[in-house]
Amino acid sequence: LLPIGLMALLLSGCGIPELSALQPRGEGAEMQLEIIKLSLWVMLFVLAIVAVIYVYVLMKFRRKSGDNTVPKQVEGNHTLEIIWTVIPILLLVVLAVPTIKTTVELADAKEAKKNEQINVTANLYWWEFEYPDKGVSTGQELVIPVGKRVAVNLTSKDVIHSFWVPALSGKTDTNPGLDNEMWLQAQEAGTYYGKCAELCGPSHALMDFKVIALEQDDYDAWLKDMKTAKEAETKQLDAKNEKNWTTGEQVYAQNCLSCHGGGKVAPSLTNFGDRQRIAGYLDHDKENLENWIRDPQKEKQGTKMPGFSEDQISDEELSELADYLLDKKLQ
Ligand code: CUA
């Protein structure tokens, strides 16, 4: 009872609706929950029958006092063997048919492509989200329109990761050199938590991301604002404009832009001020940001981002840089 009680206590902590496959907020997660329920019923059915037979046999065939005779010895029973072979086969078929049907449907993104195509690339330890038809790309926070299935194309830059948004759908592996397809749909506007679900290195547990579902109008506006902001950023940070730069812009252009500018080597920071987290999981405030820039390895072991010592960026410059980054908002 003690281990069962402890497990129940631990499992009761899994009730975050934004991160629960048992509280679906999207069609994909709903379909998966149906499979979970079906397998649970099958397991309970098997458990009940085995438990009843077990108790019945214990009672019926127990040794009575004074009875020292040897019971009838049985070696094999064809009828029984056929029964306990056929029943599990039938149960596996009952499980397999809807599982295969759902698996195929969840991976079929043909229709969803008409709504939106999003390319997801997993990296040690961050996520890139690209909207190829819109010329927009962002990191760590995937924005989707509410109510519609959007096609998600998954791949990886380095090792195998896995894309999982428990309340919406997944998990689907991201493999280097291979594309996997799925679709996402959220029934309500809101933020859903995503996780890397494949052990990929020391900071695997910190490879979090968010899926933000917006109403269609807000979504269209977001795409437009992202494009405008990226163009304005590129123009402003052009070396020809250097004499007009603020200290923050200067430190950013000289230290950060070469990796963060294209959004392929490191996450795009175009809308960094709007993010809910730093590096996917730290509270979004200036202190965390400064600590992160000084020593990213301390916060996220194995990250590719180098730290910046006081010789490279002084305390005053770091403060200006942090202000500049936190101010990079779309609105
Ligand atoms: Cu990426 Cu675990």
Side-chain angles (χ1 to χ4, degrees):
L1 273 180
L2 186 68
I4 291 173
L6 282 175
M7 278 196 293
L9 201 64
L10 281 173
L11 285 171
S12 66
C14 298
I16 309 168
E18 299 87 353
L19 190 66
S20 173
L22 301 179
Q23 297 173 59
R25 297 285 190 271
E27 280 181 84
E30 266 173 7
M31 288 157 66
Q32 288 170 325
L33 183 58
E34 288 307 310
I35 307 273
I36 293 174
K37 282 187 194 159
L38 176 70
S39 42
L40 191 67
W41 285 120
V42 169
M43 284 187 279
L44 285 175
F45 172 72
V46 173
L47 182 72
I49 293 199
V50 170
V52 166
I53 295 175
Y54 180 65
V55 172
Y56 172 79
V57 169
L58 276 185
M59 309 287 283
K60 166 112 177 152
F61 298 103
R62 75 172 186 271
R63 184 176 170 189
K64 295 175 185 73
S65 56
D67 180 4
N68 283 328
T69 54
V70 176
K72 190 178 137 198
Q73 301 297 296
V74 180
E75 278 181 37
N77 182 321
H78 275 131
T79 316
L80 273 178
E81 281 164 21
I82 288 171
I83 290 175
W84 71 51
T85 304
V86 169
I87 292 180
I89 289 176
L90 290 177
L91 289 177
L92 287 181
V93 170
V94 167
L95 278 176
V97 171
T99 302
I100 292 169
K101 203 170 148 264
T102 304
T103 307
V104 169
E105 192 181 340
L106 287 172
D108 180 5
K110 251 186 249 104
E111 283 300 306
K113 269 189 191 134
K114 292 175 191 161
N115 296 327
E116 193 71 88
Q117 167 72 52
I118 299 164
N119 295 338
V120 174
T121 308
N123 299 263
L124 291 164
Y125 297 92
W126 63 280
W127 298 86
E128 182 200 328
F129 305 116
E130 185 197 9
Y131 302 70
D133 305 336
K134 304 293 189 317
V136 164
S137 115
T138 184
Q140 312 291 47
E141 290 180 4
L142 170 59
V143 178
I144 61 170
V146 85
K148 285 182 181 161
R149 290 185 182 186
V150 293
V152 179
N153 192 75
L154 299 149
T155 190
S156 166
K157 206 50 128 1
D158 31 55
V159 300
I160 300 174
H161 305 266
S162 192
F163 177 88
W164 194 25
V165 193
L168 299 185
S169 197
K171 58 185 214 187
T172 306
D173 278 7
T174 67
N175 303 299
L178 187 81
D179 284 14
N180 279 335
E181 280 195 336
M182 62 177 277
W183 50 265
L184 273 184
Q185 188 262 15
Q187 275 141 351
E188 289 162 35
T191 300
Y192 304 94
Y193 297 174
K195 284 264 174 201
C196 175
E198 180 68 50
L199 187 60
C200 54
S203 288
H204 154 71
L206 306 176
M207 197 172 153
D208 293 3
F209 61 98
K210 303 274 181 291
V211 175
I212 300 169
L214 298 177
E215 298 295 343
Q216 188 68 46
D217 291 351
D218 297 334
Y219 176 72
D220 293 337
W222 180 83
L223 281 174
K224 205 165 140 255
D225 292 345
M226 275 299 282
K227 212 165 172 200
T228 315
K230 180 75 203 170
E231 282 161 8
E233 181 190 39
T234 310
K235 213 167 150 193
Q236 171 65 10
L237 294 175
D238 188 323
K240 277 181 269 173
N241 296 328
E242 189 174 349
K243 57 183 183 309
N244 301 328
W245 287 348
T246 62
T247 308
E249 278 168 348
Q250 185 161 16
V251 179
Y252 180 73
Q254 288 166 354
N255 297 283
C256 319
L257 201 57
S258 59
C259 290
H260 286 281
K264 290 278 173 197
V265 181
S268 154
L269 301 175
T270 304
N271 60 338
F272 181 80
D274 291 329
R275 296 255 173 89
Q276 299 181 10
R277 291 279 188 273
I278 291 167
Y281 76 102
L282 292 166
D283 281 346
H284 202 264
D285 59 41
K286 193 171 171 181
E287 194 188 339
N288 279 339
L289 181 55
E290 291 186 351
N291 288 339
W292 171 262
I293 297 169
R294 276 270 181 261
D295 192 0
Q297 292 295 332
K298 198 174 140 208
E299 312 287 341
K300 208 178 207 179
Q301 200 195 339
T303 180
K304 299 264 175 70
M305 175 158 158
F308 290 84
S309 68
E310 279 166 57
D311 295 338
Q312 292 161 298
I313 299 179
S314 70
D315 280 345
E316 293 92 279
E317 285 171 337
L318 181 64
S319 171
E320 295 270 345
L321 173 63
D323 286 337
Y324 166 71
L325 287 169
L326 292 169
D327 201 36
K328 283 170 85 64
K329 295 179 180 178
L330 292 187
Q331 295 298 333

